[in-house]
Amino acid sequence: MTGDPPPSSPHDPGAEHALRIERRWASVAVLIVIFLIVMAAVAGVHQATMPQLKLELVDPRTLHVSGEFIESNLGTAVEPDGSVTVRAIGQQYSFVPQCIVVPTDTVVHFRATSGDVVHGFLIDGTNLNTMLIPGFISTATARFSTPIESHMPCHEYCGVGHEGMWGKVKVIDKAAFEKLAADRRRLTCVD
Amino acid sequence: MSDETAALSPRDKWFRASVAITAGIAIVAAAVGFIWLPPFQAGARFQGVWNAICQAAGLAQPAPTAAEVVTAGYKTTGVVFTPGMFQGAGAESVGRGATLALRCTMCHGARGMSQANSPNLAGQYAAVVYKELRDYKSGARTSAIMQPLVVGLSDQDMRDLAAYYDYLPRPPAYHPASAGPPPEIVVSGATMRNIPPCAACHGGLDNKTGSPWLDGQPAPYIKAQLEAFKNGTRRNDISEQMRNVARNMTPDEIDAAARYYSSQPP
Ligand SMILES: [Cu+2]
């Protein structure tokens, strides 16, 4: 509009009409922008998957020999502060443990990594979704309110057996979990 | 009005003020992003300004050492595969291996082709022979027959034996059309039960390091090993990679795979 000649008179009815329409469109545009910002902020606060807190490294070739990812240490561990920690690995073409069990209404810390190539770690029906990258420990924190049985498909092509790679997640009632945890230090639901 | 050179000199008060404001914004923004906001993230603990800065900047941190590690009540494998670990095993190594292998012919055959139901070793990948021997020696894989035989073998002996068997011609994958189509479990797996195709690791589609060549192995041996993985009496596979497969197999699938892989040219 800047190139237009100035209206002949400020009271020109045509120019005034144009100005009104211009303002309306401007307010529609501003409302759209506000809506988008509020939407992003609400989603960011309530549904965000936050970036990982820390960068931790691990040697993917020796996972099975020493450290926290040896097979006997995988699964769900109860922490002194009442939360639980789930340690898992992804490898061609299965997750260990194949079935993860966690309690309801408890803070769950996931710590997972890969023993070979990049795999995906995603729990169906939740916003838990991360990548398992050899050499790095992926962490995530979650809380489940209702008992569910869900699946954990590997969502990153990892080789010719990729389509067969998935695990199970069972969220069970907190009391039932505590009973299971009484006599075992690492819990899984692999049968 | 000052001229351009004066405007870009620290003596100019507008210049000083604008630099100070820009620097101030940068510092406040960094403090908000690196120090103030991160502790609000679930699971975060504030452990000092320097730690917060390193964390937000993505510097690698050592994993927490305090957490206790539950060790297995049984032996697991200590073998670590590194790329190229069996490259350059020369004729000398093969020769030494051939001499050592004279003790093995009784069960594994004169040229690594077994006449009994012990496994063939001819053409078996060096990584596999070496790993299995080490696992017998450490007790990660148990066998009343094999364990006493490896007690006296040094690490170099095992590498030489591995080089020798790797050098021998392996039995071909013999699957004539007359034998019918290959079993589903071998070529497609059972995706609904977390079973990838056997061929994805054991050859045919791909070979994953450490996965043995199975073609031509005696059916009773294959079956016994699958059952041992399934019921947990064989636990030397790295991070349960083979146990996870066998655990979900049905007895029929075990039979079908054993029959298929045991096929040998007449
Ligand atoms: Cu995968």
Side-chain angles (χ1 to χ4, degrees):
Chain A
M1 288 298 201
T2 47
D4 288 356
S8 45
S9 138
H11 301 294
D12 175 6
E16 218 161 281
H17 182 68
L19 200 65
R20 244 189 354 259
I21 289 180
E22 198 87 344
R23 280 214 194 92
R24 278 187 202 149
W25 277 118
S27 22
V28 169
V30 168
L31 284 178
I32 290 175
V33 170
I34 292 176
F35 172 72
L36 290 177
I37 290 175
V38 170
M39 196 173 78
V42 169
V45 170
H46 291 289
Q47 285 158 338
T49 326
M50 289 302 210
Q52 190 162 323
L53 278 172
K54 291 201 252 181
L55 181 72
E56 292 174 55
L57 305 180
V58 65
D59 185 345
R61 289 167 306 188
T62 58
L63 295 182
H64 62 288
V65 181
S66 61
E68 61 178 306
F69 294 104
I70 59 174
E71 61 181 69
S72 48
N73 198 43
L74 300 175
T76 311
V78 179
E79 301 295 339
D81 67 0
S83 66
V84 301
T85 301
V86 176
R87 290 188 183 79
I89 64 171
Q91 67 189 350
Q92 289 166 330
Y93 297 101
S94 57
F95 291 98
V96 197
Q98 277 176 310
C99 180
I100 290 174
V101 59
V102 293
T104 52
D105 301 316
T106 307
V107 177
V108 182
H109 299 288
F110 288 91
R111 294 177 64 75
T113 188
S114 162
D116 39 44
V117 299
V118 177
H119 298 279
F121 187 87
L122 168 151
I123 302 183
D124 264 356
T126 73
N127 67 348
L128 216 98
N129 181 347
T130 181
M131 214 108 252
L132 304 183
I133 304 167
F136 298 88
I137 301 176
S138 299
T139 59
T141 302
R143 204 187 165 92
F144 301 89
S145 48
T146 43
I148 48 160
E149 232 186 287
S150 192
H151 293 120
M152 224 169 64
C154 171
H155 62 77
E156 183 72 26
Y157 181 78
C158 55
V160 282
H162 166 67
E163 72 280 4
M165 178 168 175
W166 57 276
K168 273 187 217 158
V169 179
K170 276 190 190 156
V171 181
I172 63 170
D173 183 67
K174 193 168 180 169
F177 181 88
E178 273 160 9
K179 221 174 279 163
L180 285 182
D183 58 347
R184 281 194 289 163
R185 291 199 291 164
R186 296 291 178 268
L187 286 96
T188 71
C189 40
V190 178
D191 34 50
Chain B
M1 285 259 143
S2 55
D3 62 72
E4 260 177 45
T5 43
L8 282 181
S9 105
R11 269 165 315 185
D12 182 84
K13 74 169 181 210
W14 296 111
F15 176 79
R16 286 205 304 272
S18 48
V19 168
I21 289 170
T22 311
I25 290 175
I27 289 169
V28 170
V32 168
F34 284 139
I35 303 168
W36 187 53
L37 286 182
F40 287 101
Q41 196 168 330
R45 257 166 257 123
F46 186 73
Q47 291 162 315
V49 173
W50 182 241
N51 184 60
I53 293 174
C54 292
Q55 230 166 274
L59 292 187
Q61 310 213 331
T65 45
E68 59 144 6
V69 170
V70 174
T71 48
Y74 49 91
K75 280 261 173 18
T76 54
T77 185
V79 178
V80 173
F81 288 130
T82 46
M85 92 193 259
F86 293 100
Q87 264 162 28
E92 210 184 315
S93 183
V94 172
R96 274 198 306 265
T99 313
L100 286 164
L102 291 174
R103 290 187 243 158
C104 324
T105 51
M106 193 206 335
C107 304
H108 293 288
R111 301 263 302 157
M113 289 302 290
S114 158
Q115 301 306 314
N117 280 335
S118 23
N120 302 320
L121 298 176
Q124 186 57 275
Y125 303 105
V128 171
V129 173
Y130 174 74
K131 176 176 183 290
E132 299 307 325
L133 291 176
R134 274 209 28 201
D135 287 350
Y136 284 128
K137 189 163 177 176
S138 73
R141 182 171 174 186
T142 51
S143 159
I145 300 169
M146 277 307 297
Q147 278 178 288
L149 290 164
V150 296
V151 174
L153 296 181
S154 70
D155 191 71
Q156 190 56 49
D157 291 343
M158 297 190 223
R159 286 172 189 271
D160 294 341
L161 282 161
Y164 169 66
Y165 284 117
D166 184 85
Y167 155 87
L168 293 179
R170 79 170 49 114
Y174 177 75
H175 304 291
S178 59
E184 188 84 345
I185 190 77
V186 171
V187 289
S188 328
T191 9
M192 299 305 285
R193 277 176 285 136
N194 184 205
I195 305 180
C198 316
C201 295
H202 288 285
L205 294 170
D206 199 359
N207 175 248
K208 184 174 164 111
T209 311
S211 315
W213 176 260
L214 294 179
D215 283 289
Q217 290 298 23
Y221 174 71
I222 297 178
K223 188 172 169 183
Q225 296 308 312
L226 287 170
E227 282 165 353
F229 282 125
K230 186 177 163 84
N231 64 26
T233 44
R234 178 170 170 187
R235 300 185 275 210
N236 70 315
D237 52 327
I238 293 175
S239 296
E240 301 196 47
Q241 50 190 334
M242 190 55 218
R243 270 169 286 169
N244 281 346
V245 173
R247 186 175 288 132
N248 297 317
M249 288 176 80
T250 63
D252 285 346
E253 285 167 343
I254 290 179
D255 285 337
R259 217 174 315 119
Y260 173 81
Y261 279 116
S262 63
S263 154
Q264 277 194 25

